[in-house]
Amino acid sequence: MLSDDDILAAVRRALGAAGADDAAFPAAGARITRHLLVRGEIVRCVETRTEGAGFHAGTRDLSDLPEYDDLDRHPVPAPADPGVPRSVLRLVRRGSAAAHACSTCSNGRKPCARCHGAGDVKCRTHVPCGGCEGRLCCLACEGTGKRAREAADRPQAETSARVRCRRCGAEDAACAKCRGAGRKKCAVCGGTGSRSCPDCEGGGTVTHDFCAGTGRYVEWIEGVVTRKPVVDTVEESSGLPARAFAWTNEHDAWSRVDHIARVDPVDRMGRLGKMALPDDLTGTGDDGGTDAGTGDGSGDEVAALLAPRLGVHAGEIARRVSVRHLSLARVTHDDHPHRVYLVVPGRPAPRVVTVRSPRRTWQLAVLALLVLAAAVTVTRLLS
């Protein structure tokens, strides 16, 4: 961790003072506070267990599914990585599987509901003629068989495409397709008034959906264990505004903590409540080495900052804490009332970020308000 002398020397270098000239930034009047930044994520593996009825139409061998006696206490190992994608494990309660013969069908078949087992359904004997197309089927008798009009009164264009009417005998008067009848025999049933049932294709029976036509089905009690990752993004600071993260970069001396905690599902209501960060939070630097001497804060500080986020979620069986932490020194000085100096540990030497002090920010805000008020007053006077 950077000492006070190291911090003051870094500020002096940033101010351009030669060497470590105490006169450029004397220790007297300087106030140093240390603040921690923590950024990363907490990934939890959350598990839910449900029990319900299992069903399969036909026959099925359930030996490939694990058996359980008490679903809540059945051990399922926690994942090596809490961030693995969503997974579903299905189990069978021991002794619950039973195969049955379907009692509502006959060997997988049941009577057709449309034809009631007859195999055929009623059909129209005749259908409207498609050749008339909304015109008269016969210009002379209009399909009645009794002439009502004379052919001499008809336009030549109308009679040229027509034929002799079968019903009244008028020449060039009837539709060429139905010859004055106005309808034709149904092409499906040939005018018999009965056709094969389209649902059962004339057989009178259809497949029983419940048993999928097998005449058997299997029932059991099914337990389902579902696991999914829940990610909590972490960006915490002790005493610094959220924009403090923008004052850092990847080259600063961040230290990293990667910790996985798991618990046996049998004890998930017990030991899980005690899961937290490890006692040793020294971590490693981003270069893989230990962070000794980087000034990144102690493990107790990191644990205290993360404590509000380490509560156990319902169904949590494992978690991975992957965070980076960095300790900044905030320096103010009586001789520099309008500036705040932030010393960021880095390699090979710490760097300094200079920002406006809260007092200076307040003064500028008041000045801006005064200028705005003056502008409004002038505008009103001129208008």
Side-chain angles (χ1 to χ4, degrees):
M1 179 177 290
L2 296 176
S3 67
D4 289 355
D5 291 340
D6 294 335
I7 293 169
L8 293 178
V11 175
R12 292 175 187 135
R13 286 194 299 271
L15 294 176
D21 187 359
D22 291 348
F25 199 84
R31 289 174 294 277
I32 301 174
T33 57
R34 289 174 171 80
H35 304 270
L36 189 64
L37 300 181
V38 179
R39 168 182 278 172
E41 64 180 16
I42 301 172
V43 181
R44 293 175 168 86
C45 180
V46 177
E47 178 185 275
T48 56
R49 298 191 176 198
T50 57
E51 195 173 49
F55 175 86
H56 179 78
T59 59
R60 180 182 176 184
D61 182 6
L62 298 175
S63 61
D64 60 321
L65 299 180
E67 291 186 325
Y68 69 93
D69 295 305
D70 183 343
L71 183 61
D72 288 336
R73 297 190 62 81
H74 182 75
V76 180
D81 180 7
V84 295
R86 182 179 182 272
S87 64
V88 178
L89 174 65
R90 300 186 182 276
L91 309 96
V92 178
R93 192 165 75 184
R94 196 183 311 278
S96 68
H100 304 282
C102 185
S103 60
T104 57
C105 71
S106 177
N107 198 27
R109 307 290 295 181
K110 68 175 184 176
C112 175
R114 185 166 186 173
C115 68
H116 304 289
D120 53 26
V121 294
K122 291 183 178 180
C123 185
R124 294 182 298 177
T125 57
H126 292 80
V127 296
C129 174
C132 299
E133 298 179 351
R135 300 176 297 171
L136 293 175
C137 58
C138 178
L139 299 178
C141 69
E142 298 182 5
T144 63
K146 296 180 180 180
R147 295 190 184 185
R149 300 180 183 180
E150 294 296 332
D153 298 331
R154 306 168 201 138
Q156 181 65 29
E158 179 68 20
T159 60
S160 61
R162 290 183 175 261
V163 299
R164 184 176 183 273
C165 180
R166 179 184 297 171
R167 306 199 66 179
C168 69
E171 297 290 343
D172 301 327
C175 168
K177 289 191 175 183
C178 65
R179 299 185 65 182
R183 61 179 186 169
K184 299 181 66 177
K185 286 184 179 181
C186 174
V188 177
C189 67
T192 63
S194 177
R195 63 188 178 96
S196 178
C197 176
D199 288 357
C200 64
E201 298 180 348
T205 61
V206 294
T207 301
H208 190 202
D209 292 336
F210 181 77
C211 65
T214 64
R216 304 189 63 82
Y217 62 92
V218 180
E219 291 182 316
W220 67 93
I221 302 301
E222 182 179 62
V224 181
V225 179
T226 304
R227 292 174 172 177
K228 64 178 182 179
V230 176
V231 181
D232 181 14
T233 301
V234 175
E235 195 167 88
E236 298 284 352
S237 65
S238 60
L240 289 178
R243 68 177 185 276
F245 287 93
W247 301 335
T248 65
N249 58 50
E250 297 299 320
H251 301 291
D252 296 327
W254 292 88
S255 289
R256 186 175 64 250
V257 173
D258 289 302
H259 175 65
I260 294 179
R262 289 182 291 271
V263 64
D264 192 309
V266 173
D267 299 325
R268 64 185 183 279
M269 301 305 293
R271 288 187 295 163
L272 185 59
K274 301 177 182 179
M275 284 202 317
L277 289 177
D279 295 334
D280 180 11
L281 269 183
T282 302
T284 60
D286 282 344
D287 60 357
T290 61
D291 67 348
T294 61
D296 286 327
S298 69
D300 291 341
E301 292 175 315
V302 177
L305 195 60
L306 291 179
R309 292 179 173 269
L310 295 178
V312 178
H313 286 198
E316 182 181 355
I317 62 167
R319 71 172 56 157
R320 183 184 70 232
V321 180
S322 300
V323 296
R324 300 188 307 159
H325 56 95
L326 178 67
S327 180
L328 278 65
R330 183 179 185 273
V331 184
T332 60
H333 202 287
D334 292 339
D335 296 340
H336 302 257
H338 302 317
R339 292 286 181 268
V340 174
Y341 303 97
L342 293 151
V343 181
V344 184
R347 299 181 180 89
R351 63 186 184 87
V352 177
V353 178
T354 304
V355 296
R356 285 195 298 264
S357 67
R359 177 181 177 183
R360 184 58 173 172
T361 301
W362 180 84
Q363 289 176 342
L364 292 175
V366 171
L367 179 60
L369 288 175
L370 292 175
V371 171
L372 179 61
V376 171
T377 302
V378 171
T379 301
R380 289 181 176 178
L381 291 175
L382 293 177
S383 61

